[in-house]
Amino acid sequence: MWNEFNIKTFPAETIVYRDGVFCPDLSTLPDATISKKYDLPVHIIYVGEIAGKCRLNIESGVQNQKIIISVNIKIQKPAFLNIFIKNAGENSEIRGTVLVQNSSEFTYDCVAQHLNKNTSVIIKNKLLAYKNSVSKLSGVAIINPDCPDCESDISFSAMADQGAKIDFMPAQRISSEPISAEHSASIYKPTDAQILYLREAGLSGAEVDNVIKEAFLSE
């Protein structure tokens, strides 16, 4: 499974979902609610192919806990994914990457709430939009009152084939002074120099396309 989805593993407590379904046999924790402090980081892994309405809830209520999120999914049929993040643990960090390859219609909504001071939620979202696909991506970071010194960043980047449609909707609701609060959305396009370099290395047009897409997802 780890090789199939190119998920980097490390010593951690694990919470694993495959095709939108929780896998207790691959997990060391019973669910994605972090209710006590673990010596190791908690690694939440969400991989496979999803369709229909899917939801992932991630909650931390303890101090000094590090949580890593690795999402790597493919969309072949219309799908909707909600990721709800609540960080209420002082000095706790939730950080991760969401990689999506969309060949159909995909709606994604990420909501990240800071419910205590000195909390971090940093989520990097990457979309590979195939030909004629439709993608709607939204994210909102919420820093509640009396929650100063937080770090928040929800970013979006996409690489699109011909005819793909993409809507980005990043937003913030900040009620306390943060250390940093950022959000961004961008479209990646390879340069002519990059394409020429790969062609001069002997790659065919299809191979160049595959190499560029793989580099975009893995950088």
Side-chain angles (χ1 to χ4, degrees), residues 93-160:
E93 175 186 3
I94 300 176
R95 179 185 298 267
T97 303
V98 177
L99 304 179
V100 181
Q101 298 183 59
N102 182 25
S103 301
S104 182
E105 297 180 15
F106 179 58
T107 301
Y108 169 67
D109 188 23
C110 178
V111 178
Q113 289 186 273
H114 298 259
L115 301 174
N116 206 337
K117 62 182 180 180
N118 297 313
T119 54
S120 297
V121 180
I122 300 172
I123 307 296
K124 180 185 292 186
N125 302 279
K126 287 189 173 185
L127 168 72
L128 189 55
Y130 289 106
K131 186 176 181 179
N132 298 325
S133 62
V134 177
S135 306
K136 297 180 180 180
L137 311 176
S138 64
V140 57
I142 303 169
I143 300 179
N144 282 12
D146 302 318
C147 297
D149 301 325
C150 294
E151 293 184 83
S152 178
D153 189 356
I154 300 179
S155 66
F156 294 91
S157 60
M159 183 176 178

Side-chain angles (χ1 to χ4, degrees), residues 42-94:
V42 175
H43 192 188
I44 300 173
I45 301 169
Y46 193 98
V47 295
E49 184 177 324
I50 64 170
K53 292 184 178 181
C54 300
R55 178 178 178 132
L56 176 61
N57 292 330
I58 301 167
E59 298 184 27
S60 174
V62 296
Q63 295 183 2
N64 304 306
Q65 183 65 57
K66 185 174 183 179
I67 301 170
I68 307 297
I69 305 169
S70 298
V71 177
N72 190 342
I73 54 175
K74 294 183 178 180
I75 312 299
Q76 303 291 341
K77 299 178 181 179
F80 186 103
L81 175 61
N82 266 331
I83 298 181
F84 291 103
I85 300 170
K86 293 182 179 180
N87 192 351
E90 186 177 349
N91 297 321
S92 286
E93 175 186 3
I94 300 176

